[in-house]
Amino acid sequence: MIDLTDVSKVYRTDTIETLALNKINLSVRNGEFLSVMGPSGSGKSTLLNVIGLLDKPSEGQIELDGEEVSEKSEREIAKIRNEKIGFVFQSFHLINDLSVLDNVEIPLLYRELSASKRKEMALAALENVGLSARTKHFPSQLSGGQKQRVAIARAIVGKPNLILADEPTGNLDSAMGNEIMKILHDLNQNEKTTIVMVTHDENIAKQTERTIRFFDGSKIND
Amino acid sequence: MIDLTDVSKVYRTDTIETLALNKINLSVRNGEFLSVMGPSGSGKSTLLNVIGLLDKPSEGQIELDGEEVSEKSEREIAKIRNEKIGFVFQSFHLINDLSVLDNVEIPLLYRELSASKRKEMALAALENVGLSARTKHFPSQLSGGQKQRVAIARAIVGKPNLILADEPTGNLDSAMGNEIMKILHDLNQNEKTTIVMVTHDENIAKQTERTIRFFDGSKIND
Ligand SMILES: Nc1ncnc2c1ncn2[C@@H]1O[C@H](COP(=O)(O)OP(=O)(O)OP(=O)(O)O)[C@@H](O)[C@H]1O
Ligand SMILES: Nc1ncnc2c1ncn2[C@@H]1O[C@H](COP(=O)(O)OP(=O)(O)OP(=O)(O)O)[C@@H](O)[C@H]1O
Ligand SMILES: [Mg+2]
Ligand SMILES: [Mg+2]
């Protein structure tokens, strides 16, 4: 469902040029649960940004469902992103001016749903991550792990085809991390959701079908 | 050096009242290396904020070096914070408009040091965390783990008496996490720095002298 062919990404600042991705070849089939590991700065978040169409590669091709992404308009790309992909960002990217409930509703705004249906789905997602008692809080009123779980609720609320999760359990204790993994496994098994997850935790990675490893921008095993 | 007596902290929003800390009694002696564990939302960051004088308890007393904190002026409190305490925040709190080097210099601005001395010390701290090649980058140009390491460099640059580290290895791979623990152990052993560190990682906690555990705002073992 996702095919990367010789994808490279270079970041240039005034002083330094960084090859964050170096000729990545990767295929992820529909319904796969893939984990990505590697040292700090090795390109993992960059990979997720590129797969998630949040950033363009410097070189190479990306195909989603057999269609070359570079042939799509910005509007089509935004539509794919909003309807088919759920993101759990490393920094959560919650909107500080919105309550927890409103943050989780955001992916649903791009669908033709009633306000009451959106609220129902957002409440169900928040219950799934154990945050029913915090729906009216604002992000500044939450602990680090609670923010992470709001981000997870937002990623799963619309049952996307693909979830890109950047260290979704990094700020969570073991018990809560296991709860989150159960949620992801249920989506993968029951909804056939494709999941690409970055993690630093070997025990978490072992629970996925396949693990790829990055080092200095290159994929180093398959 | 740190004595908490019956410290409680209540957060009130429009809808809910949360007892984040419930009558905490805790003594941390000079030069101790203490870890704090517990589930998400159990009060760990709140504890660090209160110890670090970034927030006031709702009830109870805090003594630093035998002096009651509530008898100090805001100016004295800010002085203690700036000169004696280094923070590694869970969200890093880097200043986006400043380069990596300038971010790390911040704690030194409150001391009477020349610009060249500040720069020397900041460069040394950044070398210590493996970021010498990123000094002119801005936080938006860094990976998650790189931002965390900048936060650690900023916490250690002024060799504070006390370091409060909120999950300092949460975004780091094992190898880098071990590097950071070596840095903290060196400061604790060689500089007698007191360290209070929140972590979700049992292996990391075992490397400290003592671990306290929180659950629902209460300390549950000693
Ligand atoms: N500013 C605030 N306003 C309201 N409630 C808050 C505020 N800050 C924290 N809380 C609540 O207080 C409780 C303790 O929060 P705290 O950040 O100390 O937890 P934590 O143990 O650090 O959790 P984590 O492991 O998720 O970081 C949580 O339930 C949280 O929602
Ligand atoms: N916007 C940017 N501008 C310049 N360099 C960048 C930018 N974003 C990332 N980089 C650099 O590209 C490299 C890869 O970054 P990336 O965020 O993909 O790493 P990562 O594997 O996710 O690391 P971590 O485990 O620390 O989150 C890093 O060296 C980083 O400094
Ligand atoms: Mg990353
Ligand atoms: Mg916390």
Side-chain angles (χ1 to χ4, degrees):
Chain A
M1 164 223 206
I2 304 170
D3 289 292
L4 274 66
T5 306
D6 285 340
V7 167
S8 294
K9 176 73 187 178
V10 180
Y11 292 107
R12 291 181 177 87
T13 68
D14 293 341
T15 51
I16 197 167
E17 184 170 281
T18 303
L19 183 60
L21 294 176
N22 183 24
K23 294 183 186 299
I24 301 301
N25 289 284
L26 174 66
S27 287
V28 182
R29 70 174 200 299
N30 280 340
E32 188 168 10
F33 196 156
L34 173 73
S35 48
V36 183
M37 297 189 80
S40 176
S42 58
K44 304 178 301 291
S45 294
T46 301
L47 176 74
L48 289 195
N49 285 340
V50 161
I51 291 175
L53 313 182
L54 293 168
D55 206 355
K56 292 182 187 226
S58 307
E59 293 180 4
Q61 286 87 39
I62 300 170
E63 288 185 14
L64 292 183
D65 292 332
E67 293 185 352
E68 171 65 40
V69 165
S70 63
E71 293 168 6
K72 292 180 179 304
S73 67
E74 292 284 334
R75 184 178 178 127
E76 287 170 311
I77 287 176
K79 187 173 162 72
I80 293 169
R81 228 182 12 243
N82 295 333
E83 293 180 355
K84 293 188 174 188
I85 305 175
F87 298 87
V88 185
F89 295 100
Q90 201 169 7
S91 312
F92 320 139
H93 289 327
L94 300 183
I95 297 177
N96 293 324
D97 297 336
L98 295 183
S99 70
V100 161
L101 188 69
D102 289 342
N103 263 286
V104 174
E105 283 194 17
I106 288 177
L108 304 176
L109 296 176
Y110 303 93
R111 305 196 190 181
E112 293 174 7
L113 297 170
S114 66
S116 64
K117 182 63 180 174
R118 286 200 308 268
K119 183 174 183 180
E120 179 192 316
M121 291 171 76
L123 286 171
L126 283 164
E127 184 177 348
N128 220 356
V129 298
L131 282 176
S132 298
R134 298 247 168 309
T135 59
K136 293 182 194 294
H137 276 62
F138 287 82
S140 64
Q141 298 169 320
L142 300 178
S143 79
Q146 286 165 342
K147 284 190 250 190
Q148 192 161 46
R149 287 186 275 155
V150 173
I152 291 163
R154 183 184 60 191
I156 65 174
V157 69
K159 296 185 188 314
N161 295 343
L162 168 64
I163 290 179
L164 302 175
D166 204 338
E167 300 190 44
T169 61
N171 282 292
L172 302 177
D173 53 284
S174 291
M176 186 53 64
N178 288 337
E179 288 286 322
I180 297 304
M181 287 304 294
K182 274 170 66 181
I183 292 169
L184 294 178
H185 277 296
D186 283 351
L187 285 169
N188 178 253
Q189 303 282 329
N190 300 333
E191 310 283 344
K192 309 297 177 195
T193 308
T194 307
I195 301 178
V196 181
M197 176 182 73
V198 171
T199 182
H200 283 302
D201 188 325
E202 292 275 355
N203 291 324
I204 293 273
K206 285 177 182 173
Q207 299 176 33
T208 63
E209 289 176 63
R210 177 172 56 131
T211 296
I212 62 174
R213 293 177 194 273
F214 272 66
F215 187 80
D216 252 359
S218 293
K219 194 157 71 69
I220 60 172
N221 82 323
D222 212 346
Chain B
M1 159 220 212
I2 303 170
D3 288 290
L4 273 65
T5 306
D6 285 341
V7 167
S8 293
K9 175 74 187 178
V10 179
Y11 292 108
R12 291 183 177 83
T13 69
D14 292 342
T15 52
I16 198 168
E17 183 170 283
T18 304
L19 183 59
L21 294 177
N22 183 25
K23 293 184 188 295
I24 302 301
N25 288 286
L26 175 66
S27 288
V28 183
R29 71 175 197 304
N30 281 340
E32 187 168 10
F33 196 155
L34 173 73
S35 49
V36 183
M37 298 190 79
S40 176
S42 59
K44 302 176 301 292
S45 294
T46 302
L47 177 73
L48 290 195
N49 285 343
V50 161
I51 291 176
L53 313 182
L54 294 168
D55 207 356
K56 292 184 185 219
S58 306
E59 292 180 6
Q61 286 89 37
I62 300 169
E63 288 185 16
L64 292 183
D65 291 332
E67 293 184 352
E68 170 68 38
V69 164
S70 64
E71 294 167 5
K72 293 181 180 301
S73 68
E74 291 286 332
R75 185 179 177 121
E76 288 170 311
I77 286 176
K79 187 172 162 67
I80 293 169
R81 227 180 14 240
N82 294 335
E83 294 179 356
K84 295 190 173 187
I85 305 176
F87 296 88
V88 184
F89 295 100
Q90 202 169 6
S91 311
F92 322 138
H93 290 326
L94 301 182
I95 297 176
N96 293 324
D97 298 336
L98 297 182
S99 70
V100 161
L101 189 69
D102 288 342
N103 263 284
V104 175
E105 285 194 16
I106 288 177
L108 304 175
L109 296 176
Y110 303 94
R111 308 206 186 167
E112 294 177 5
L113 296 170
S114 65
S116 63
K117 183 64 179 174
R118 288 200 308 268
K119 182 174 182 180
E120 177 192 317
M121 290 171 75
L123 286 171
L126 283 163
E127 183 176 349
N128 221 355
V129 299
L131 283 175
S132 297
R134 296 245 165 324
T135 61
K136 294 184 192 298
H137 276 63
F138 287 83
S140 63
Q141 298 170 319
L142 301 178
S143 79
Q146 287 166 342
K147 284 191 249 191
Q148 194 163 43
R149 289 186 273 153
V150 173
I152 292 162
R154 184 185 59 190
I156 64 174
V157 69
K159 297 186 189 308
N161 296 344
L162 168 63
I163 291 180
L164 302 175
D166 204 339
E167 301 189 45
T169 61
N171 281 294
L172 303 177
D173 54 284
S174 288
M176 185 54 62
N178 289 336
E179 289 285 324
I180 296 307
M181 286 304 292
K182 275 170 65 182
I183 292 169
L184 294 178
H185 277 296
D186 282 349
L187 286 169
N188 178 252
Q189 302 283 331
N190 300 332
E191 311 283 344
K192 310 298 177 194
T193 308
T194 306
I195 301 179
V196 181
M197 176 182 75
V198 172
T199 182
H200 284 301
D201 188 326
E202 293 276 358
N203 292 324
I204 293 275
K206 285 177 181 170
Q207 300 177 34
T208 63
E209 288 177 64
R210 176 172 57 130
T211 297
I212 62 174
R213 293 179 193 271
F214 272 67
F215 187 80
D216 251 359
S218 294
K219 192 154 76 60
I220 59 174
N221 81 324
D222 208 341

